[in-house]
Amino acid sequence: MSKEKISLYTTSCDGDKSNDKGELCVFYKCEKDSLVKEVLGKRPGWTEVNNDYEWDFHWCNVTWLRKKFVHSQMKKNARINHFPNNYELTMKNLMARNLRKYQKMSSKDSSCLGVYDFFPETFQMPIDYHLFVEHFKRCPGSIWIMKPAASSQGKGIFLFKDLKDIMNWKKTRVTPKEGREELKPPVYVAQRYIEDPYLINGRKFDLRIYVLVTSFTPLKAWLYRDGFARLSGPRFFLNSIHDKFVHLTNVAIQKKAPGYDGDKLGKWNLQQLRRYLTAKHHRTDVEMLFKMIDNIIISSLLSVQNIIINDRHCFELYGYDILLDQYLKPWLIEVNASPSMTPSSQDDQLLKYRLLEDTLNIIDMEGRLSGSEKRVGGFDLIWDDGLVFREDVDMDRLGMSTIIANSHLGCVNDRENHIYKLWKPFSYL
C-alpha cells in the first residue's frame, strides 16, 4: 500500500458518503475475477479505482494482503475482504493443528461448544513424518490422501496406500523462505481418506458452504442458505485410487474429465440435495445432519477465534468443503479463504451473484443496517458473541443441550422478498 493514508471518502464526496448531488459515493478496488467486478460495478454510487490509496472498499487477493495491508494507514470505515492471518484456518496443516487444540480444550472446559471428531486424522508432513509412519503401520490397508498445505483446486493431491507411493514427494526439495541452507520436501498433509462416502447414483460428492465472518473479537458469523454439492463424473470405486476424476470433486479437476457437462452433471444446489436426502432417509436424521454441519462451522471458527488477528476493517467470506459418509456423518475437509467466484453454469452464476450481493449488503458501506439484524438476504446470523438461536424453535421444550443455531442451510431462500422489505425505507435504491 502506498505510504499515503487511505481516505475513506475523498474530497469529491465532501467527506459525508455523498457527492454534490447527494448521491452515495464509494470507491472500490478489485483484483479478483469478473463476476466480483460485475457485482461491485452495479452497486449504486460505487466507482472503481485502480491505485492503492484511493479506495474505500478493496476486494483483494491474498498476495496483496500479505505485502501491502497496513492497519494504521486505513481510516475507520475502509473495508477489505481478508483478515491478516486468515491462513490459520485455511492452510490445511494449521487448520488441523488448531482444531486438535480446540478439541482438547473443549473436552476439559464444559463452557466450550461441544466438539466431536469431525475431521479426519491428519499429519503435517514432513514434521510429523515419523509419527505418521508409525500410525500407518498400525492401520494396514488404509487409504490416505496427500494434499499440499496451501494449494487449492485439487492441485498436487494424490491417494496412496503404500509408503513407497510418497517417495517422489519425499525426494522433492524446496528452498525455505527463511533462507536456511537445509532443503526439505514441500509442506503437505497426510489425511485418512474417507473410504465410505455417501453416494448419489453411485457418484461421490462434497458440499460447498459459504460463511461470512465480520469479526473475530467478538466472533460474528453468518451462514448462507444456498450452496451446492459438487459431484464427480465417474462412479465411485476404491480399486481405482489413482483416478482423480473418481475421487476429487473439485470443478477444476472434473471439467477436464471426458464428457463433462457442468449444467447437467456438475452440481446440485443444497435445496435439491436436502430434498433428496429427506426422501431417502428419516426427516429427523437429515435435520441432525444439518445441525452437525452448523456445529462444525461454529467449532472451527471458535478454534481460531483467539488466534486470528481481528481488525475492524476486515471481513472474510469462507468456502467450507464438507464430505458426507454413508452414515450421514459430515466431515470437514478444508476451508477456503478465496472460494472461486467463477461460475460453471447459469445456475451457479446466479447463486454466486446473489451471494456476493448479500455479502456487500452485510458489510454495509452504505450505512443502512441497524446492527441488530439476524438475517440479511440469504445470510442468517448463527453466532454473535454466542450462539444465535432460531426464533421458531421452542428451547424450553427441546432443552439447551440441543444446538439449534439460527441456520436455514439448504432451506428455501426467499432473499428477494427479504431484501425488498429490508431496503424499502431507503428511497435511493
Side-chain angles (χ1 to χ4, degrees), residues 315-333:
F315 67 93
E316 196 88 42
L317 180 62
Y318 290 109
Y320 274 69
D321 292 345
I322 291 178
L323 180 73
L324 309 185
D325 66 22
Q326 64 178 347
Y327 305 105
L328 286 186
K329 177 179 178 177
W331 295 87
L332 176 60
I333 303 302

Side-chain angles (χ1 to χ4, degrees), residues 187-423:
V187 178
Y188 268 59
V189 294
Q191 190 173 76
R192 185 185 287 275
Y193 185 65
I194 305 299
E195 299 182 27
D196 56 349
Y198 195 99
L199 304 178
I200 296 178
N201 299 325
R203 296 153 62 204
K204 182 181 175 181
F205 68 95
D206 70 355
L207 308 182
R208 167 55 59 87
I209 295 169
Y210 297 101
V211 178
L212 175 65
V213 177
T214 53
S215 170
F216 273 98
T217 310
L219 179 61
K220 189 167 186 176
W222 303 75
L223 178 61
Y224 205 61
R225 296 186 175 200
D226 289 336
F228 49 83
R230 301 179 295 190
L231 284 78
S232 64
R235 296 174 67 86
F236 181 80
F237 293 102
L238 280 178
N239 59 359
S240 56
I241 66 170
H242 300 300
D243 189 337
K244 290 187 176 183
F245 301 134
V246 170
H247 298 282
L248 303 184
T249 60
N250 311 69
V251 173
I253 298 292
Q254 290 296 322
K255 67 183 182 181
K256 299 176 184 177
Y260 173 78
D261 186 337
D263 285 315
K264 295 182 179 179
L265 300 175
K267 296 178 180 178
W268 281 18
N269 64 51
L270 286 186
Q271 288 86 355
Q272 181 181 3
L273 176 67
R274 188 160 188 160
R275 289 194 299 269
Y276 176 86
L277 294 176
T278 302
K280 301 277 281 188
H281 303 275
H282 198 283
R283 184 184 186 91
T284 56
D285 293 335
V286 178
E287 290 177 350
M288 180 55 66
L289 163 64
F290 280 86
K291 290 174 189 174
M292 288 191 289
I293 293 175
D294 295 339
N295 193 2
I296 287 176
I297 292 167
I298 293 170
S299 297
S300 65
L301 294 174
L302 290 174
S303 75
V304 296
Q305 180 184 13
N306 297 322
I307 301 172
I308 296 289
I309 299 171
N310 192 64
D311 192 300
R312 55 189 170 82
H313 303 102
C314 302
F315 67 93
E316 196 88 42
L317 180 62
Y318 290 109
Y320 274 69
D321 292 345
I322 291 178
L323 180 73
L324 309 185
D325 66 22
Q326 64 178 347
Y327 305 105
L328 286 186
K329 177 179 178 177
W331 295 87
L332 176 60
I333 303 302
E334 63 182 76
V335 182
N336 299 274
S338 298
S340 172
M341 290 297 148
T342 302
S344 58
S345 66
Q346 290 183 346
D347 288 342
D348 195 40
Q349 178 167 354
L350 183 60
L351 185 157
K352 291 175 177 176
Y353 194 99
R354 291 170 171 173
L355 169 71
L356 290 167
E357 279 192 324
D358 289 341
T359 297
L360 298 178
N361 289 336
I362 289 178
I363 300 309
D364 192 28
M365 297 295 291
E366 297 86 353
R368 296 173 292 191
L369 301 180
S370 68
S372 62
E373 291 82 4
K374 294 177 66 173
R375 180 187 177 188
V376 176
F379 276 108
D380 295 292
L381 184 64
I382 58 171
W383 192 273
D384 188 8
D385 201 18
L387 189 64
V388 179
F389 295 103
R390 285 177 56 170
E391 295 177 347
D392 59 345
V393 172
D394 185 353
M395 294 306 301
D396 292 333
R397 180 175 62 85
L398 292 176
M400 290 300 294
S401 62
T402 303
I403 293 181
I404 310 291
N406 181 41
S407 167
H408 299 267
L409 185 64
C411 297
V412 174
N413 185 5
D414 56 339
R415 65 173 294 276
E416 288 82 3
N417 292 334
H418 184 263
I419 288 295
Y420 175 77
K421 294 176 182 178
L422 195 63
W423 292 162

Side-chain angles (χ1 to χ4, degrees), residues 136 141-144 159-163 165 238-239 241-242:
F136 181 89
S142 296
I143 299 176
W144 295 79
L159 277 64
F160 69 98
K161 54 183 177 181
D162 194 311
L163 287 177
D165 294 334
L238 280 178
N239 59 359
I241 66 170
H242 300 300

